[in-house]
Amino acid sequence: AVVSTQSTGCHGLTEKATNYYKLFITWTNEKIKSSFVKRNMFDFKHISVFERSYMNNPGPMVVFATPGMLHSGMSLNIFKAWCHDANNMVIMPGYCVAGTVGHKLLNGTRKLETDKGPVTVNMAVEYLSFSAHADAKGILQLIKNCKPKNVVLVHGEDKKMEFLMEKIGDQFGIPSFKPANGEQITIPCPPKVVASISKEAFKVVRSNGNHFDGLVVKQGEELSLLSAEEARARLGLRPVAITLNYQRPMSLDIAPSVALERLHTQLSSIISDQKVGPFKRQLDGSLSLNSVSITCRGEGRDSAVHVSWSLVDDHIGKTVSDILEECGEGLISN
């Protein structure tokens, strides 16, 4: 705002903000809205839109400068027009970044370089704390209420921001940053997925050392971790059985039943260390463990060991097929 002995004027964002308050007065509290019956309280009687002609008004003048650092805009233009007169005054309303005209004035500089050349400052310079920014106490209270994962400080003196970062770390234990102008920072954001789990599935997780094979199902906004059977029942899907097969050609000079007997002995000793359980002999001569089935087909050079299994026992079927692939006839002949 600009104040003279004759008038008071507003300009720029002040003018626009005042117009918005006038327009959206119904968004204000009840006390302000109740006064609207008589008049719009934002329709100020003694404040009008600032005009450039005011810069040439006679008499003592006072500038309440916005932008408050005198780095650009109308306030800088007014300052350059009035700074020569000792009867005038500039009031700095808050913190000024180093290097700005406002910072130089507050530090006693009286000769400044401008786009119109050097100027001598004869006007009075005063400081008034009128900042709309929160102080350290206000920022800490905001962090306490919002509970953010990270804090980025973007405005203030370096030493004071360092102090505030220490306070944030001590009180809340969250990381904070103070990037310089133009500096890029990377904030790690590990994904966090929250899903419910049934009691039955949780029992499986506990019994398997926190390992669980299942599906994440989303219904509406809720995520659920389900076993295959639970997911099928909830989504109304028909079961689909997938069988995996592996065949290892071999040249055998023994009967298939004998080959399976030897294979049973060898597999029992090898996979006992891998905690997949013992294979059992079936009446048809095959070997089985859960859904895994091992048969021997053909004779002589046309022999082959066949392994089949379902997905639920994929780790067992893969173990057996890897052993057969690596050892071949040696597994049976020995």
Side-chain angles (χ1 to χ4, degrees):
V2 181
V3 183
S4 74
T5 55
Q6 299 174 346
S7 62
T8 302
C10 63
H11 178 77
L13 288 177
T14 305
E15 176 189 352
K16 293 179 180 178
T18 302
N19 287 335
Y20 276 112
Y21 277 110
K22 288 181 183 178
L23 182 62
F24 297 106
I25 193 170
T26 55
W27 291 8
T28 58
N29 61 38
E30 292 299 323
K31 183 178 179 180
I32 295 177
K33 283 191 288 188
S34 63
S35 68
F36 184 50
V37 177
K38 298 179 179 179
R39 70 177 185 89
N40 191 319
M41 71 172 300
F42 298 106
D43 188 12
F44 303 110
K45 293 182 179 180
H46 304 291
I47 299 178
S48 60
V49 177
F50 178 81
E51 299 178 5
R52 289 183 178 273
S53 60
Y54 292 173
M55 296 169 62
N56 300 319
N57 285 355
M61 308 294 290
V62 178
V63 181
F64 192 81
T66 57
M69 302 183 196
L70 289 177
H71 59 284
S72 63
M74 180 58 70
S75 62
L76 180 58
N77 291 331
I78 297 172
F79 167 77
K80 288 186 290 187
W82 293 354
C83 67
H84 309 284
D85 192 337
N87 292 318
N88 295 332
M89 174 185 292
V90 59
I91 300 175
M92 308 309 300
Y95 169 78
C96 293
V97 174
T100 60
V101 173
H103 184 269
K104 293 175 182 178
L105 289 176
L106 290 175
N107 283 274
T109 303
R110 288 297 177 262
K111 291 187 179 296
L112 297 170
E113 288 292 333
T114 70
D115 56 344
K116 295 183 178 180
V119 295
T120 300
V121 180
N122 296 318
M123 70 190 318
V125 178
E126 295 292 341
Y127 174 80
L128 175 65
S129 182
F130 194 72
S131 175
H133 300 291
D135 57 8
K137 184 178 179 181
I139 293 173
L140 292 174
Q141 184 62 45
L142 178 64
I143 294 171
K144 181 180 179 181
N145 293 339
C146 296
K147 297 180 176 61
K149 295 292 188 298
N150 301 273
V151 175
V152 181
L153 305 178
V154 298
H155 185 70
E157 297 180 32
D158 188 70
K159 290 184 179 180
K160 292 184 178 179
M161 286 196 290
E162 283 284 356
F163 172 78
L164 184 55
M165 289 173 64
E166 291 181 9
K167 297 285 287 185
I168 293 171
D170 292 340
Q171 289 191 26
F172 307 106
I174 58 177
S176 55
F177 308 85
K178 57 175 188 65
N181 290 341
E183 178 185 353
Q184 293 184 353
I185 60 173
T186 300
I187 300 177
C189 300
K192 183 179 180 181
V193 179
V194 179
S196 61
I197 185 171
S198 67
K199 291 182 179 179
E200 292 73 17
F202 184 70
K203 291 178 182 178
V204 175
V205 173
R206 294 294 298 273
S207 62
N208 290 345
N210 293 331
H211 175 79
F212 180 72
D213 291 325
L215 301 89
V216 176
V217 177
K218 183 177 182 181
Q219 289 184 303
E221 296 300 319
E222 181 182 358
L223 292 176
S224 301
L225 181 59
L226 307 174
S227 66
E229 285 299 318
E230 290 174 324
R232 183 182 64 79
R234 180 176 295 189
L235 299 176
L237 302 176
R238 293 185 300 173
V240 176
I242 298 178
T243 301
L244 304 176
N245 295 277
Y246 167 81
Q247 184 167 288
R248 176 64 161 87
M250 294 187 181
S251 180
L252 302 175
D253 55 2
I254 55 177
S257 59
V258 178
L260 282 176
E261 182 66 36
R262 292 182 180 179
L263 183 60
H264 180 237
T265 302
Q266 294 293 343
L267 285 177
S268 297
S269 62
I270 293 175
I271 67 174
S272 61
D273 297 333
Q274 302 187 29
K275 299 179 180 181
V276 296
F279 276 88
K280 297 180 181 180
R281 293 292 303 272
Q282 302 299 318
L283 294 177
D284 61 359
S286 64
L287 306 179
S288 67
L289 173 59
N290 299 338
S291 67
V292 181
S293 177
I294 305 175
T295 58
C296 188
R297 302 173 181 176
E299 296 181 359
R301 294 183 178 180
D302 296 327
S303 300
V305 175
H306 182 82
V307 185
S308 63
W309 66 92
S310 66
L311 280 176
V312 70
D313 294 316
D314 188 52
H315 60 297
I316 303 176
K318 190 67 168 60
T319 298
V320 173
S321 61
D322 287 345
I323 293 173
L324 288 170
E325 188 69 28
E326 182 178 350
C327 300
E329 290 91 343
L331 187 65
I332 298 174
S333 61
N334 293 333

